[in-house]
Amino acid sequence: MTKNSFYAVKNGHKIGIFNSWVDCSKQVHGFKGAIYKGFPNLSEAEVKFK
């Protein structure tokens, strides 16, 4: 199982790439229609975030 170290938020309170689940969850918790995904490394998150 791969541990995600980076999280991309495409639709949330604040969009961007976050380096912890705690920071990511603050942006998506309670946001209707939130879109987010975890990635094992920053470069993959940056490529897929576009």
Side-chain angles (χ1 to χ4, degrees):
M1 188 164 126
T2 304
K3 180 181 182 305
N4 293 322
S5 298
F6 296 91
Y7 300 86
V9 177
K10 283 195 167 193
N11 193 19
H13 297 290
K14 182 178 178 183
I15 62 170
I17 298 174
F18 301 90
N19 61 1
S20 75
W21 170 246
V22 172
D23 292 338
C24 175
S25 67
K26 289 177 185 176
Q27 306 313 318
V28 299
H29 184 73
F31 191 92
K32 186 173 181 160
I35 300 172
Y36 61 96
K37 184 172 179 171
F39 298 94
N41 57 59
L42 179 59
S43 60
E44 191 174 340
E46 290 173 335
V47 169
K48 304 267 174 121
F49 183 68
K50 293 181 183 180

